[in-house]
Amino acid sequence: MKQVIIVRTDLKMGKGKIAAQACHAAISCYKRSNKSDISKWELSGSKKVVLKVPTEQDLLELNTIAKSEGLVSSIITDAGHTQIEPCTRTCIGIGPAEDEVIDKITGHLKLL
């Protein structure tokens, strides 16, 4: 079991901003997940992997694919108070779910 967070690199966010956006994605997916998946994920160490994509379009495509596979996913949209414009989609969280299921969707992506 794992959860993945996928961050846009074209926004050139600072490290702190990336960390905050990734946390938003992780928490959002956690809140949307069923109790059984959460329990299995927590018992297996609550693994999270942070990956990168170059564009907003990549986030949207991954969201569509994740939803079509029945996975929990959440696109994070920033309020625009600091580094980036309001309503900018910064990252997506997927899972927690079985590693193999998530890897079918995100296995080709590189670590952030």
Side-chain angles (χ1 to χ4, degrees):
M1 296 290 288
K2 70 178 168 186
Q3 183 181 66
V4 296
I5 310 302
I6 304 145
V7 178
R8 285 177 59 186
T9 57
D10 60 321
L11 297 174
K12 309 293 186 207
M13 294 180 284
K15 292 175 187 174
K17 184 69 169 178
I18 291 170
Q21 297 301 297
C23 288
H24 289 316
I27 290 169
S28 180
C29 285
Y30 182 90
K31 290 166 111 177
R32 295 174 186 202
S33 294
N34 69 54
K35 290 182 182 192
S36 174
D37 285 344
I38 289 171
S39 180
K40 287 192 283 187
W41 180 56
E42 289 175 338
L43 289 171
S44 66
S46 304
K47 179 169 57 171
K48 290 169 247 10
V49 179
V50 183
L51 307 169
K52 62 183 176 179
V53 293
T55 69
E56 178 182 31
Q57 186 60 38
D58 294 311
L59 287 185
L60 297 174
E61 289 172 9
L62 289 165
N63 187 56
T64 299
I65 295 166
K67 290 198 179 300
S68 74
E69 293 291 326
L71 296 175
V72 170
S73 66
S74 180
I75 292 181
I76 301 305
T77 303
D78 191 68
H81 298 301
T82 57
Q83 298 178 16
I84 54 181
E85 293 297 316
C87 301
T88 301
R89 294 177 182 121
T90 58
C91 63
I92 182 175
I94 301 174
E98 298 290 335
D99 289 8
E100 306 81 42
V101 177
I102 290 181
D103 288 345
K104 285 192 321 187
I105 299 166
T106 63
H108 65 287
L109 300 175
K110 295 189 185 287
L111 293 170
L112 178 64

